[in-house]
Amino acid sequence: MSTTLSSTLSNLLPKFIARAKLRSAEKQVFTQFVDVLQHGAGQGRVYNEPIIGRLTAYAGSEGVPVGQAQALADSNTAWTPTEHLVQVVVTKRAIFVNREPILSRANEQMTDALSTRKDTQITTLYGSATGTNADQGSAGQALLTSLVFQAKATVINADDSTYGKIPAGPGGQLIFAVNPLSLFDIQEDVLAISTNALAATSPLGEYAAEVFKNGMLGNAAGALAGHIAGCLVVQSTAIAPDTADDADNIVYARDAFVLVESGGIEDNTDMTQISGRAVEITMSEWYVAAERTDGWANAITADAAAV
């Protein structure tokens, strides 16, 4: 009596998709720190975001007719998602003999690959987020604490003619995205403050400096990796250094960038038999990462050489 895998595949797929969704939620980084829009399956491949021109308020006087009537002018910005996919082939014998560990490992690697691809799509935009901004830092220069404060001030001061000021609430949350090797220079900069400025000005001298330094070393992982200059710090190697070991770190508001997701793992995961000897597993997603407005992002070019 021959054994087929068709019924087994149909039973495995819902469990496999559930694992993939959980793994994807755990692994994605920058999808949590940009504006994410859902563009479901069957709604076409282009997402149109309506844009309303900004209005201006004028001085008024009681009894004087209003003479500054303004009309709303709207338009659409279209983003076209593209497809990205990952595929693995597992022998039928491996599925029968060692199904759970094999599928679990394949699931992890596939969802990790899709998440990494999505993060790369987002972080690639950081290098082009310059526009008219007076971006901070320079090639080969260490990342200084002051550069983060400068970038933050530039972003807060920005005023976009279409989108206006940075929105309040989660959309206006300020984020400092940084390569871990660049962040190390900030830690060095902070420790240098404790041995120089603090030691020179404190009446307790070197003792106060040591207390400060020990506090920084003991809490650096929580403090510097959490917030700096009021910005949430997100470290990721997805911000890849160039050939000269310089990275495009950035301070931005969440709404400066947008990720449009079309469909999902439920609609784009498939298991099929090929040649009767193997099982082919495919995951795919439609999405696009785009820069909504340049004014709410300020890049900081800094060295990211090996520590």
Side-chain angles (χ1 to χ4, degrees):
M1 178 178 177
S2 62
T3 303
T4 63
L5 203 61
S6 58
S7 60
T8 305
L9 287 178
S10 62
N11 292 332
L12 286 177
L13 192 57
K15 185 176 180 180
F16 191 84
I17 292 174
R19 284 185 178 179
K21 292 177 66 177
L22 176 62
R23 180 72 176 184
S24 180
E26 291 175 344
K27 292 297 293 183
Q28 291 183 3
V29 177
F30 284 100
T31 53
Q32 302 170 14
F33 303 111
V34 298
D35 186 28
V36 179
L37 303 175
Q38 297 295 329
H39 184 50
Q43 298 181 5
R45 296 186 177 182
V46 176
Y47 176 86
N48 287 286
E49 181 180 70
I51 296 174
I52 306 297
R54 192 172 183 208
L55 303 181
T56 302
Y58 294 90
S61 300
E62 187 175 356
V64 178
V66 176
Q68 296 288 350
Q70 300 177 76
L72 289 177
D74 65 326
S75 60
N76 284 329
T77 294
W79 292 301
T80 304
T82 55
E83 185 179 26
H84 305 273
L85 59 88
V86 60
Q87 187 178 75
V88 297
V89 176
V90 183
T91 64
K92 185 188 293 186
R93 183 176 182 276
I95 293 293
F96 275 120
V97 175
N98 213 21
R99 182 177 66 194
E100 287 296 322
I102 289 290
L103 290 182
S104 177
R105 188 60 177 163
N107 190 302
E108 290 180 3
Q109 292 182 324
M110 294 174 75
T111 50
D112 287 359
L114 287 177
S115 297
T116 299
R117 174 75 181 182
K118 195 176 296 185
D119 279 352
T120 301
Q121 294 284 303
I122 296 172
T123 56
T124 298
L125 298 172
Y126 295 168
S128 60
T130 55
T132 58
N133 292 340
D135 290 338
Q136 316 302 328
S138 60
Q141 177 180 337
L143 180 59
L144 302 176
T145 310
S146 60
L147 296 178
V148 182
F149 282 87
Q150 291 176 24
K152 172 191 174 184
T154 304
V155 171
I156 293 178
N157 191 60
D159 186 2
D160 188 275
S161 60
T162 300
Y163 293 100
K165 291 288 186 180
I166 297 174
Q173 180 182 15
L174 292 178
I175 297 160
F176 175 44
V178 59
N179 181 280
L181 295 177
S182 291
L183 187 64
F184 173 78
D185 287 323
I186 284 190
Q187 294 170 325
E188 287 283 279
D189 190 28
V190 172
L191 292 180
I193 294 174
S194 70
T195 57
N196 293 317
L198 184 65
T201 58
S202 172
L204 297 179
E206 295 181 0
Y207 175 75
E210 286 302 316
V211 171
F212 180 82
K213 183 186 295 186
N214 290 335
M216 284 303 305
L217 290 174
N219 298 288
L224 288 179
H227 291 80
I228 186 170
C231 305
L232 178 66
V233 178
V234 180
Q235 302 180 62
S236 177
T237 55
I239 303 177
D242 58 22
T243 55
D245 288 330
D246 294 310
D248 291 314
N249 307 300
I250 191 168
V251 172
Y252 69 95
R254 184 188 294 265
D255 277 9
F257 300 98
V258 60
L259 177 70
V260 180
E261 295 183 324
S262 183
I265 292 177
E266 300 96 330
D267 307 305
N268 297 291
T269 301
D270 181 55
M271 289 184 182
T272 57
Q273 290 189 68
I274 55 176
S275 303
R277 297 291 299 270
V279 175
E280 180 183 75
I281 308 173
T282 304
M283 285 185 186
S284 62
E285 286 185 280
W286 289 89
Y287 59 86
V288 61
E291 183 182 13
R292 178 179 277 122
T293 173
D294 184 73
W296 299 347
N298 199 234
I300 307 176
T301 301
D303 181 58
V307 176

